[in-house]
Amino acid sequence: MVYSRTEVTPLLNGEASKAEAPSYGRYVAGAVIFTLGLLAVVSFQSAALPMGSVRLGEDAGAGGGLAASEADRRTAAAAAALSSQTSKNAKDAKEKADYVFAEANAEAEKLQKLAVQARKDFEIAKGDNAADGEFATSGIQALEDDALAQDASLTSTTATYEAARNTYQNSTDKIVVLTTELADAKAATAEAQSKYDAASATADTAKATADDLSKAAEDLNTASQADEKVGEEKVAEAAARATAVGAAADKAKAAEIVAAKAKKTSADNLDALNAAKLFQKTAQESLDAENARNKVLAAQSNQSEQDMIQQAHITALAKTASADAKATSESSFYNSSSSTSKMEDAAKKAEEKAAIAATVAAVREAEAKAATVAAQAAGDEDAIAKSQLALAEAQVKVEEKKIEAAKNLITPA
C-alpha cells in the first residue's frame, strides 16, 4: 500500500482569501482520521501473515513435514516482502508528512509576522489620529521636516551599519588568514622539533663516541708509557708505539671536534625550535584574540543592521505620512477615521489568516507525529516478519536433516 495525501489546504495553496475560515474541530478531526488511517494500515499489514500457518516443530512425517515447512517458508517470505514494502511506504509517508508540516509551519510564521506588523502599523496610525487635526492645517511642514530628519537619520544609521559590517567582514577574513598562519606555524614547529630531535640524537652519539675514543687514547698512552719495553725496545718499535699513541689522540681529538660541531648544530636547532614555538604561540594568541574580537563585531554588526532596518521602517512611515498629508491636506483629517478603520480591518484579517495558518500547522504537526508512529510500527512489523521468515527457513533445514537422518537409518539388505 502506498501512503498518499489527498487533503488540499486552502491556506497553503493561496486560497485562504477565497475560502471561509475552517473551524478548529475540522482540522482536529482531520488529524485524528489521518492517525487512525495510518494505524489501521499497519494493523492490516501485520495481520497479512497468518501466525498459525508457521507450524515450527510439528511432526507431519518425513516428506509431509518438509512440504509443510517449505509452504510455511513461502508464506513467510511473501509476508516479509509485503511488510518490507509497507515499512518503506510508511517511511515515505512520514517524510512527506514532515515536509508538509515544515511548509505549513513556515507559512504560519510568515503570516504571524505580517499580522504583527499590520497590528503595529494600525496602532501607530491610531496614535497619530489625535494629531491629524493639527497636521491637516499647520502640521504639514512639521511632517515634511520630520521625514527629512528621519531620512538623515537613516543615512547615518546606514553608514554606521556599513562600517560595522565591513569591520566584521574584515575580521572574519583575517580569521581565515590567521587560521592558515597558525596551521603553517604548527607545521613549522613540528618540522623544527623533528630536526632538533635528530640533531640532538646525533650530538649525543657523537659525544659518546668522542668520550669513548678519548678514554681509549688516554688508556693507550698510559699503557704505552708503563710498558716494561719502553726504553729497551728498538728505535723503530718506539717510533711505532709513539705513532700509535699519537694516532689514537688525533682520532679522539677529531671525534671531539665532530661532537662539538654536532652539539652546535643541536643548539642551533633548539634555538630554531624555540623560535618556531614562540611564533606558533603568537599565532595562536592572535587567532584567539581575533576570534574574541570577531564575536563582539558580529554583535555590533547585527545590532547596527537591526537599527538600520528599524530606521528604514520609521523613515518610510514618515515619508508616507508627509506625502499623504501634502496630497490630502485638510481632507486627510476627516478621512483619517476611515483610513484607521481600514488598517484595523486589515490587521484583523491578517490575524485571522495567521490563526488559521497556526491551526493548519498544528494539524500538520499532529499528522507528522502520527506518520512517525505509523512508520515505527510498520518497521517493527517488518522486523517481526523477517524473524518469522528466518524461523521458517530454519524449520525447512530441520525437516531436510530429518529426511537425511531417516535415510541414514536404512541398512542395506
Side-chain angles (χ1 to χ4, degrees):
M1 175 178 290
V2 179
Y3 288 83
S4 64
R5 294 179 57 84
T6 58
E7 181 179 351
V8 177
T9 303
L11 181 61
L12 299 181
N13 294 332
E15 300 176 2
S17 60
K18 301 178 182 179
E20 293 182 358
S23 64
Y24 285 77
R26 175 184 173 187
Y27 286 105
V28 174
V32 173
I33 293 173
F34 181 82
T35 303
L36 293 177
L38 288 176
L39 294 177
V41 168
V42 174
S43 298
F44 173 79
Q45 296 298 346
S46 65
L49 177 62
M51 300 297 293
S53 64
V54 180
R55 298 176 298 274
L56 298 182
E58 275 193 18
D59 187 7
L66 178 59
S69 297
E70 288 177 340
D72 289 344
R73 179 177 60 182
R74 289 191 295 272
T75 301
L82 179 60
S83 64
S84 177
Q85 183 60 44
T86 300
S87 177
K88 180 180 181 301
N89 293 345
K91 289 179 181 178
D92 293 342
K94 175 189 175 300
E95 292 175 357
K96 186 172 183 180
D98 289 343
Y99 174 78
V100 172
F101 164 61
E103 282 192 331
N105 193 50
E107 180 71 5
E109 290 179 353
K110 180 186 75 174
L111 292 178
Q112 178 62 25
K113 290 179 181 178
L114 293 176
V116 170
Q117 186 60 52
R119 175 59 63 179
K120 182 178 180 181
D121 291 343
F122 162 68
E123 294 297 336
I124 292 175
K126 183 180 179 181
D128 292 341
N129 227 14
D132 280 347
E134 182 181 352
F135 288 162
T137 55
S138 60
I140 296 177
Q141 185 61 46
L143 285 175
E144 291 178 343
D145 292 341
D146 179 66
L148 290 175
Q150 296 297 344
D151 190 63
S153 180
L154 176 60
T155 300
S156 176
T157 53
T158 300
T160 300
Y161 161 69
E162 290 176 351
R165 185 66 182 84
N166 289 336
T167 302
Y168 171 58
Q169 185 60 51
N170 291 338
S171 174
T172 302
D173 295 340
K174 187 176 180 180
I175 287 175
V176 175
V177 175
L178 291 176
T179 301
T180 301
E181 290 179 354
L182 178 59
D184 294 341
K186 288 181 177 180
T189 300
E191 182 179 0
Q193 183 69 56
S194 177
K195 288 182 178 180
Y196 167 71
D197 292 342
S200 178
T202 300
D204 292 341
T205 302
K207 177 66 168 57
T209 301
D211 291 342
D212 292 341
L213 291 176
S214 178
K215 185 176 184 305
E218 183 65 25
D219 293 342
L220 179 61
N221 182 34
T222 301
S224 297
Q225 293 184 30
D227 194 329
E228 60 184 9
K229 296 180 181 180
V230 173
E232 300 297 331
E233 58 189 358
K234 296 179 180 180
V235 174
E237 293 174 344
R241 183 186 298 276
T243 299
V245 171
D250 289 341
K251 187 175 182 181
K253 187 63 177 179
E256 290 176 358
I257 294 174
V258 170
K261 290 181 178 180
K263 184 176 182 180
K264 177 64 167 56
T265 301
S266 176
D268 292 342
N269 284 323
L270 179 59
D271 291 341
L273 174 60
N274 291 333
K277 287 181 177 179
L278 179 60
F279 185 81
Q280 178 181 336
K281 180 175 179 294
T282 301
Q284 183 67 62
E285 291 173 350
S286 299
L287 178 59
D288 293 342
E290 193 59 37
N291 279 327
R293 176 173 174 265
N294 186 262
K295 291 181 180 179
V296 175
L297 294 176
Q300 293 176 350
S301 175
N302 180 272
Q303 183 60 51
S304 62
E305 183 175 359
Q306 291 182 18
D307 294 342
M308 182 188 67
I309 293 172
Q310 179 63 20
Q311 186 58 42
H313 177 66
I314 295 174
T315 301
L317 291 177
K319 288 183 176 181
T320 300
S322 175
D324 182 69
K326 182 179 290 187
T328 60
S329 187
E330 293 184 358
S331 63
S332 64
F333 170 68
Y334 301 105
N335 295 331
S336 61
S337 296
S338 175
S339 175
T340 303
S341 178
K342 290 180 180 179
M343 292 184 69
E344 184 177 14
D345 291 340
K348 289 181 179 179
K349 289 181 180 179
E351 289 167 347
E352 290 174 358
K353 289 183 179 180
I356 293 172
T359 302
V360 171
V363 172
R364 294 296 177 255
E365 183 179 13
E367 292 174 350
K369 291 180 179 179
T372 299
V373 173
Q376 180 62 48
D380 294 340
E381 290 295 335
D382 184 34
I384 292 172
K386 288 178 179 177
S387 298
Q388 290 177 329
L389 175 58
L391 287 173
E393 289 174 343
Q395 184 61 27
V396 170
K397 292 181 179 180
V398 168
E399 294 301 330
E400 289 174 346
K401 289 296 183 181
K402 286 181 179 180
I403 294 174
E404 182 179 354
K407 290 180 179 179
N408 292 337
L409 292 176
I410 298 175
T411 57

